[in-house]
Amino acid sequence: QRKQVPTAEELLQGIIRGDKTALARALTLVESTKKQHQKKANYILDNSLNSGKESIRIGITGVPGVGKSTFIETFGKLLTSLGKKVAVLTIDPTSSLSKGSILGDKTRMEELVRDPNAFIRPSPSGTSLGGVARKTRESIFLCEAAGYNCILVETVGVGQSETAVHSMVDFFLLLKLAGAGDELQGIKRGIMEMADGIAINKADGENLKRAKRAQTEFNRALHLFPPKPSGWIPKVLTCSSLENTGIQEIWEMIDSFFTLVREDGFLEKTRQEQNKKWLLNTLEDRLLTDFYENPGIKKELDRLLIEVAENKISPFKAADQLLERYQKKV
Ligand code: GDP
């Protein structure tokens, strides 16, 4: 007996009901590069109603080994114990390169995975950061449509993914370790500057003292940055994700951030800007796909690429020809 593949409408209804399996299937469609999958995914995206207003989006970053998955496990369980529904999404642009992915080969967040009020989605193996970012945006949207009101977007702090995540979330949390010696060495200024909060993890055992010292130093460093447009003053806290200390304080910090930005209208403005940006990005993406997947264009492009290489036609004229042909088609 063959299992029936659910239709886009069935998946949509499943998502609206909060069915995790339907959500997971829809995300697989979002991540797929197959045209018929994308069509289905677009149907679900286009018909999901989601104002995003009820949710909070938190970006979490830090170098491999800093304790991101341990932190998210502890933090996520705190959130679900407070009655929230937590979705964890991961951006790992390295996963397409190293296959085995920095994150992929560990069993991560074992307890949170089993929590009925949590949904964890590992990184799609993206082709490019741009592709991964687009998929993450759409995934956030679908998770919210499925009723998840706390979206945690995790990123591996090794590349430019932080900037992409920063533009999708409301609060940006940087996880750090207390290093030996010069605490501020090797921190990318840009990432520090984006952070709304810094949590110095592994503040336990013999490390506790050093973590406290690092807290003071980071606090001093943060004061050197210009004030945030949100009016929020970034804070530095310490925590132990393993021993579950300081985690509650981190939530209180984030909660007070949201109280502030809800009151001063900053959150609403951010969401408006994000929506505009998401529209423009989606438009670009769909136009490019439509253009390059057009069979007539494909053939013409192949021909013109050769002609351009042989100097038979200028690249500009070739581009004009292609666009003209495209416009006639549509
Ligand atoms: P990720 O690569 O950033 O996701 O880091 P992991 O969460 O996998 O943690 C890396 C290692 O650090 C693991 O062995 C964890 O058990 C350990 N670890 C994570 N958080 C803490 C903590 O708060 N204290 C201590 N002592 N170890 C921790």
Side-chain angles (χ1 to χ4, degrees):
Q1 197 182 347
R2 258 181 49 212
K3 248 195 176 164
Q4 284 239 302
V5 179
T7 63
E9 180 59 31
E10 282 166 348
L11 290 179
L12 175 67
Q13 292 310 322
I15 288 170
I16 294 169
R17 276 199 313 274
D19 173 6
K20 275 193 201 183
T21 315
L23 177 61
R25 277 182 173 239
L27 294 183
T28 304
L29 294 175
V30 159
E31 289 160 12
S32 170
T33 49
K34 286 210 184 93
K35 197 163 184 187
Q36 86 222 57
H37 290 169
Q38 284 185 351
K39 251 177 114 172
K40 255 176 121 172
N42 288 348
Y43 175 87
I44 299 168
L45 283 165
D46 295 351
N47 290 287
S48 302
L49 272 183
N50 165 29
S51 68
K53 276 202 177 121
E54 306 309 319
S55 77
I56 63 174
R57 302 171 184 160
I58 304 169
I60 297 171
T61 193
V63 294
V66 71
K68 289 181 297 301
S69 48
T70 315
F71 174 81
I72 292 173
E73 166 111 325
T74 312
F75 185 63
K77 280 193 294 179
L78 170 68
L79 294 178
T80 58
S81 79
L82 296 171
K84 303 195 181 298
K85 287 191 75 181
V86 179
V88 182
L89 303 168
T90 305
I91 293 192
D92 179 6
T94 57
S95 65
S96 55
L97 301 174
S98 57
K99 286 284 181 230
S101 163
I102 297 179
L103 305 168
D105 32 19
K106 288 182 289 186
T107 318
R108 309 179 83 235
M109 308 169 205
E110 277 178 320
E111 285 181 44
L112 198 59
V113 167
R114 289 196 299 268
D115 192 320
N117 288 316
F119 177 83
I120 296 172
R121 183 73 180 183
S123 178
S125 54
T127 40
S128 65
L129 177 58
V132 175
R134 173 180 66 79
K135 291 166 188 172
T136 306
R137 251 192 305 270
E138 295 178 351
S139 303
I140 291 176
F141 190 84
L142 288 185
C143 288
E144 288 176 351
Y148 291 91
N149 54 9
C150 280
I151 312 291
L152 309 183
V153 184
E154 178 192 5
T155 167
V156 185
V158 290
Q160 291 172 319
S161 46
E162 287 69 35
T163 321
V165 174
H166 185 246
S167 71
M168 298 176 198
V169 299
D170 311 309
F171 187 97
F172 196 66
L173 180 69
L174 172 63
L175 292 186
K176 291 291 303 174
L177 293 175
D182 183 4
E183 305 296 355
L184 297 177
Q185 224 172 25
I187 302 165
K188 290 195 199 87
R189 199 190 137 93
I191 295 183
M192 278 273 283
E193 201 166 341
M194 281 190 284
D196 298 297
I198 295 179
I200 300 166
N201 191 34
K202 307 195 188 183
D204 46 45
E206 293 190 344
N207 220 3
L208 188 57
K209 251 197 191 141
R210 272 197 294 165
K212 291 286 172 200
R213 217 163 37 229
Q215 184 181 17
T216 314
E217 287 191 39
F218 282 127
N219 248 323
R220 207 177 297 142
L222 279 184
H223 283 300
L224 301 175
F225 293 125
K228 299 221 167 243
S230 54
W232 170 254
I233 298 163
K235 298 193 171 32
V236 186
L237 298 173
T238 59
C239 69
S240 170
S241 305
L242 214 53
E243 295 182 356
N244 196 356
T245 54
I247 304 293
Q248 173 83 32
E249 286 75 7
I250 291 172
W251 166 242
E252 283 162 15
M253 162 177 72
I254 294 175
D255 198 31
S256 60
F257 168 85
F258 278 97
T259 306
L260 174 82
V261 295
R262 281 206 164 101
E263 277 170 5
D264 71 7
F266 184 80
L267 186 63
E268 208 185 322
K269 232 173 64 197
T270 311
R271 288 295 163 87
Q272 286 170 357
E273 289 307 312
Q274 278 174 356
N275 276 345
K276 285 196 237 172
K277 209 168 160 185
W278 289 19
L279 163 62
L280 293 176
N281 288 340
T282 306
L283 203 56
E284 259 167 55
D285 195 75
R286 291 195 189 174
L287 272 174
L288 281 180
T289 310
D290 193 59
F291 180 84
Y292 285 112
E293 303 236 314
N294 182 317
I297 294 289
K298 244 184 198 159
K299 253 174 68 192
E300 183 82 349
L301 179 60
D302 285 342
R303 192 177 64 77
L304 285 169
L305 278 170
I306 297 169
E307 289 198 4
V308 162
E310 291 172 349
N311 272 323
K312 285 186 181 147
I313 183 173
S314 86
F316 317 107
K317 192 157 181 207
D320 271 342
Q321 271 185 24
L322 283 164
L323 281 175
E324 243 167 62
R325 191 191 176 112
Y326 179 66
Q327 278 157 3
K328 269 189 217 135
K329 281 241 140 139
V330 289

